[in-house]
Structure formats: structure tokens, C-alpha cells
């Protein structure tokens, strides 16, 4: 499972010209579900994103989470995060999960995230228009499982 997380001051998603989800301060989460993803991936990413310390504290350091600042999460399904552009000129989406599986895990992610913060959503498989005002900008990519090696000398911690 893959997420692009953007810290925002405002964001909304429209379907057919109507706003279906909107937030003020919070996180816009573009969520992609890949083949082999399961319930653990949804639960892990929901908790990780809600508790990720990427909001500024009184000293201006990124030390506060979405929970800490009382923000909201806007979650938009985004199968194109699994687009493979290495060959040719047209992306291959063969690594994306089948729609039924992706929808179930997208809904589960949203349900899990609601344990931490208020959640707004787009509409799965709809043609959506997403508007946002980036805050920072702060944009991160988070994956589960994260198989990248930890950088040598990385002293960051989970706390």
C-alpha cells in the first residue's frame, strides 16, 4: 500500500462538480492499493499517518501529529500510484490491486484512520477533482511494507 501525504491548510474533492469531502488544516492522503496488500497494511498506514509528527510545534519544529493539532484527513483513492513508467510511454498498472480488493482496503484504511482523527473521503473509482493548499509544502511518500534500507547514521526514532 502506498500513500502520498500532503500537509494542507485546506483541501476538497469534487465529483461531478459537487464537493464530496473537504477539510481545513490536516492531511490530504492519496492512497494506492497494490497486489498483495492486506488488512495489516491498511491498519499500519492509517496509524502511521495519523501519528506522523509533521506539524510544527511552538519552536517551529515538526514535532506534532495530526492528532496533536486536531486536524482532519481527506483520503482519495489513487490507483495511479502503482503506475509503472519504466518501459515504453504508457504506464502499466498491473501492480495495482483489483478494484474489489482495492475498494475494501481503501474503506478499511478510512475506518482505521477514524479511530484517530475525523476523516473525509472522495468516491472510489470516480473521476475526481482535488483542490488543495499545500502547507509548507510538506509532501511525503509512505509505503507498507517499507523495504527500503535505513540510511546509515539515521538517528530518527518512532517517539
Amino acid at each position: 500500500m502506498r500513500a502520498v501525504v500532503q500537509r494542507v491548510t485546506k483541501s476538497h474533492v469534487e465529483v461531478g462538480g459537487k464537493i464530496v469531502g473537504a477539510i481545513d488544516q490536516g492531511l490530504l492522503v492519496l492512497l494506492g492499493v497494490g497486489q498483495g496488500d492486506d488488512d495489516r497494511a491498511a491498519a499500519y498506514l492509517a496509524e502511521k499517518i495519523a501519528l506522523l509528527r509533521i506539524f510544527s510545534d511552538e519552536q517551529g519544529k515538526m514535532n506534532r501529529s495530526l492528532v496533536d493539532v486536531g486536524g482532519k484527513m481527506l483520503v482519495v483513492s489513487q490507483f495511479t500510484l502503482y503506475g509503472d513508467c519504466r518501459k515504453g510511454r504508457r504506464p502499466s498498472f498491473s501492480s495495482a490491486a483489483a478494484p474489489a480488493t482495492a475498494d475494501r482496503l481503501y474503506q478499511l484504511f478510512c475506518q482505521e484512520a477514524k479511530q484517530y482523527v475525523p476523516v473525509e473521503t472522495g468516491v472510489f473509482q470516480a473521476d475526481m477533482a482535488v483542490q488543495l493548499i499545500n502547507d509548507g509544502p510538506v509532501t511525503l511518500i509512505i509505503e507498507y511494507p517499507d523495504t527500503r534500507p535505513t540510511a546509515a547514521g539515521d538517528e530518527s526514532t518512532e517517539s
Side-chain angles (χ1 to χ4, degrees):
M1 191 170 277
R2 200 172 276 164
V4 173
V5 178
Q6 295 180 297
R7 192 175 72 184
V8 298
T9 56
K10 287 185 181 225
S11 184
H12 74 260
V13 61
E14 298 177 16
V15 176
K18 294 184 182 178
I19 294 175
V20 297
I23 63 170
D24 289 320
Q25 180 186 36
L27 297 175
L28 169 63
V29 178
L30 305 176
L31 185 71
V33 180
Q35 289 186 16
D37 285 339
D38 58 19
D39 294 8
R40 287 176 299 169
Y44 171 85
L45 277 185
E47 179 184 21
K48 181 76 167 180
I49 292 168
L51 299 178
L52 198 60
R53 297 184 323 178
I54 58 173
F55 289 89
S56 298
D57 64 13
E58 296 75 23
Q59 288 77 39
K61 294 188 179 199
M62 282 198 260
N63 211 18
R64 300 183 78 204
S65 70
L66 187 60
V67 172
D68 295 332
V69 300
K72 295 182 179 178
M73 190 181 296
L74 175 58
V75 185
V76 177
S77 63
Q78 188 82 42
F79 82 95
T80 59
L81 291 178
Y82 278 91
D84 184 349
C85 300
R86 292 177 291 179
K87 294 181 182 176
R89 298 186 190 273
R90 184 180 320 181
S92 167
F93 299 103
S94 61
S95 295
T101 299
D103 185 24
R104 185 183 73 74
L105 291 174
Y106 167 77
Q107 299 300 335
L108 180 59
F109 172 91
C110 294
Q111 179 183 332
E112 292 284 337
K114 286 178 184 178
Q115 294 180 49
Y116 302 96
V117 295
V119 174
E120 296 280 323
T121 66
V123 177
F124 187 81
Q125 282 192 308
D127 186 14
M128 295 176 275
V130 180
Q131 291 189 12
L132 67 138
I133 300 174
N134 261 334
D135 181 16
V138 173
T139 303
L140 301 165
I141 299 170
I142 304 169
E143 293 187 80
Y144 179 87
D146 186 351
T147 57
R148 295 171 297 155
T150 303
D154 184 358
E155 297 176 18
S156 63
T157 64
E158 283 294 311
S159 57

